């Protein structure tokens, strides 16, 4: 009978390809990881010792919506509505005559988007947020211009209108 040769159990494993694979996987993991800062939530126990610090009073904000429609803008607050109609095929941001947006909001026409936002800001001076609602048929550049107008700053870099902008789709109902 022929005897079978047994293989040796001492096998050397080449680690270089394994290390190469692991280093490339780690690089891929680091590049694709989501980097964000986790906010902290201050919580106190019910019935526990109270601190002398009082939570800051929240200022009352109005529901403020700016709708971009095919025929112009509609700015609604809790108790008032402002309509800015289009001038032909153009939306009126600052002047009826041209598309230029002035750095000084006081130079803009009253029946423009900036004029309507000035009126709303005078009613609710503590308000800093606005929701922009837009139809799907409105060009993207118009939405971007509206966001830019809402986030305008004066010469001292103080927000003129509403720096906290939220965008949502408009219901057709």
């Amino acid at each position: 009978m022929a005897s079978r040769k047994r293989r040796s159990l001492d096998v050397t494993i080449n680690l270089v390809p394994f290390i190469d694979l692991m280093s490339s996987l780690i690089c891929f993991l680091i590049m694709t990881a989501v980097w964000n800062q986790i906010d902290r939530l201050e919580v106190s126990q019910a019935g526990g010792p109270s601190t002398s610090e009082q939570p800051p009073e929240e200022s009352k904000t109005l529901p403020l919506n700016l709708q971009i429609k095919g025929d112009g803008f509609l700015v609604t607050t809790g108790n008032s509505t402002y309509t800015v109609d289009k001038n032909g095929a153009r939306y009126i941001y600052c002047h009826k005559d041209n598309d230029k947006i002035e750095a000084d909001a006081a130079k803009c026409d009253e029946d423009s988007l900036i004029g309507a936002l000035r009126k709303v800001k005078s009613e609710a001076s503590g308000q800093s947020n606005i929701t922009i609602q837009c139809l799907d048929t409105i060009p993207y550049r118009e939405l971007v211009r509206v966001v830019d107008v809402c986030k305008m700053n004066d010469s001292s870099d103080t927000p003129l209108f509403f720096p906290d902008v939220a965008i949502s789709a408009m219901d057709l109902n």
Side-chain angles (χ1 to χ4, degrees), residues 81-95:
T81 301
Y82 300 100
T83 304
V84 180
D85 294 325
K86 284 174 81 171
N87 184 14
R90 284 188 318 102
Y91 288 97
I92 303 172
Y93 293 98
C94 187
H95 299 289

Side-chain angles (χ1 to χ4, degrees), residues 5-25:
K5 252 187 172 178
R6 294 189 164 224
R7 289 186 183 172
S8 173
L9 293 178
D10 297 330
V11 178
T12 60
I13 298 175
N14 192 358
L15 290 179
V16 173
F18 179 72
I19 292 172
D20 289 344
L21 176 68
M22 291 307 292
S23 63
S24 61
L25 287 176

Side-chain angles (χ1 to χ4, degrees), residues 32-47:
T32 59
V34 176
W35 302 99
N36 59 6
Q37 182 178 1
I38 299 174
D39 290 330
R40 225 180 321 169
L41 180 63
E42 299 292 333
V43 179
S44 61
Q45 289 182 329

